Amino acid sequence: MSAVTINPRIRGFICLSAHPEGCAANVQRQVELAKKDGPGSGIGTALVVGSSAGYGLSSLITAVFGYGAKALSVCFERPGNGEKTASAGWYNLAEAHRLAKAAGRQLETINGDAFSIPIKEQAVAALKARFGKIDLLIYSLASPKRTDPATGTTHSSVLKPIGPPYESKTINLDTDQIAPITIQPATDVDIENTVKVMGGDDWRMWVEALRAADLLAPGFRTVAYSYIGPQLTHAIYRAGTIGRAKDHLESTARAMDQELSKSLGGHAWVSVNKALVTQASSAIPVVPLYISLLYKVMKAKGTHEGTVEQMLRLFRTHIGPGKQPTLDADGRIRIDDREMAKDVQDAVAKVWTDVTSENLMAVSDYAGFKREFRSLFGFEMPGIDYQTPTEVERPL
Ligand code: NAD
């Protein structure tokens, strides 16, 4: 165990270090908001798969601190070791655990590959031993690869258009310059692989594993997250490989919803969320530029939300205790409504044509994007003294 001074080590959309106090500050802010917004009770037991960052972390915080849930959380994070920092998600959950304990709430985490059978078995064993049947399963994984336990094959997802090559512009996150980008189309194998990783297969396997162990409470609800987005990103996102995976996730929700409502009075839904800076979204070409323009417009309009504000609204108006969600024509919950508002999209599309490396800072919230990206790893958080050495090894 040794204390070290931790600096950001950023390469493009990857940050190799994380700051424990900075990550803790992020979690504390979310917990405060959840305590204020939620009723403090109403959800019995929750399981959150993909619980350590982004939408999953905010869902966990909302369930535990906003609705008093006992929660089991599953993530895939790296602990600190010697002078090497843990991953941000590890520090996020370390703080969530500390705060849950202080508040007398039951929170446990399993750290390992959620796609695998052994991790599902561990979760089932933990639930049987210490939690009982679950009322809510949030499925919020974002991963570049998945080993299918049925075949042993490892599939890698890709972010590619389907059909003609995609030509657009993007920000080089290392040089802060806008550059043209051409992405060659996916092959059929690319599409299949992406659906295997980010589609609904594994979500269904979780529900089946819980059902087989008799761990689904009457009225059980499960929600996974999707994205649609604007015309600008359509070819690379919703009409691309990742969009095919989201189509699969959404059809899995519709099929499971029918099954669950018959057998348990339960539900499976997909919630279409807003585009936000997370580790997963920063890796998608074009999306950082779109988010920078979107944030500028939505912040000016006063309609900007972060992951926790989105999740609090999801629980408050759609999936919380006693709520019945409003669904779109395809059976999806839509909390991307403020992003997709016509005036917002018109304003983004207008600036999109004119944005250059020279006017980027003036016409977009790229500064906000960068700040938020660093804050995902606990950097540039107000009130944190980054000069003081800190302990990198933290217990979960
Ligand atoms: P994220 O990168 O912030 O978090 C991903 C989570 O998945 C982490 O907790 C990580 O530990 C976990 N994880 C990854 N691989 C794992 C594995 N093998 N086993 C266990 N845990 C694993 O991602 P995010 O942006 O919050 O995305 C979550 C979901 O929300 C995705 O389905 C994404 O498509 C969707 N979504 C994201 C956005 C956005 O703009 N960020 C918008 C709409 C929908």
Side-chain angles (χ1 to χ4, degrees), residues 245-378:
K246 293 301 185 191
D247 290 344
H248 188 269
L249 188 80
E250 291 171 15
S251 62
T252 304
R254 287 187 289 268
M256 288 202 299
D257 189 61
Q258 291 209 340
E259 295 155 23
L260 287 167
S261 67
K262 265 192 222 133
S263 56
L264 289 163
H267 284 287
W269 294 301
V270 153
S271 170
V272 181
N273 301 347
K274 175 189 186 227
L276 281 177
V277 183
T278 65
Q279 294 180 45
S281 70
S282 306
I284 307 174
V286 187
V287 165
L289 177 57
Y290 168 68
I291 286 182
S292 301
L293 298 177
L294 179 74
Y295 274 27
K296 176 96 171 175
V297 174
M298 291 187 80
K299 284 179 183 175
K301 217 179 155 228
T303 57
H304 177 70
E305 297 165 295
T307 53
V308 76
E309 289 84 356
Q310 279 263 293
M311 292 301 96
L312 289 169
R313 181 151 72 96
L314 175 68
F315 279 61
R316 193 189 323 117
T317 51
H318 295 287
I319 65 162
K323 297 284 172 202
Q324 282 304 323
T326 312
L327 304 175
D328 71 5
D330 293 310
R332 304 170 294 206
I333 298 169
R334 301 295 297 269
I335 54 167
D336 63 339
D337 48 346
R338 296 174 186 170
E339 169 184 356
M340 300 309 284
K342 188 172 180 307
D343 58 340
V344 170
Q345 286 305 322
D346 286 351
V348 171
K350 194 162 169 272
V351 189
W352 182 271
T353 5
D354 302 334
V355 64
T356 60
S357 302
E358 288 68 40
N359 67 15
L360 176 63
M361 288 300 179
V363 302
S364 83
D365 188 30
Y366 183 52
F369 171 88
K370 284 226 126 168
R371 199 170 46 244
E372 216 170 297
F373 178 76
R374 293 198 174 109
S375 80
L376 293 178
F377 304 91

Side-chain angles (χ1 to χ4, degrees), residues 50 52 54-55 76-77 112-114 140-142 226 246 274-276 278 280:
S52 53
Y55 277 115
F76 206 7
E77 299 293 346
D113 181 7
S140 186
L141 290 183
S226 189
K246 293 301 185 191
K274 175 189 186 227
L276 281 177
T278 65

Side-chain angles (χ1 to χ4, degrees), residues 18 20 23 27 52-53 75-81 85-97 109-112 279 392-396:
C23 290
V27 169
S52 53
C75 66
F76 206 7
E77 299 293 346
R78 184 191 70 231
N81 185 3
T85 73
S87 53
W90 181 278
Y91 291 141
N92 290 339
L93 283 182
E95 181 63 5
H97 275 250
T109 292
I110 296 174
N111 187 43
Q279 294 180 45
V392 298
E393 291 181 29
R394 304 286 173 120
L396 255 196

Side-chain angles (χ1 to χ4, degrees), residues 34 52 81 162 169 180 231 236-237 313 372:
S52 53
N81 185 3
I162 296 170
K169 47 183 161 188
Q231 205 50 42
I236 187 68
Y237 196 95
R313 181 151 72 96
E372 216 170 297

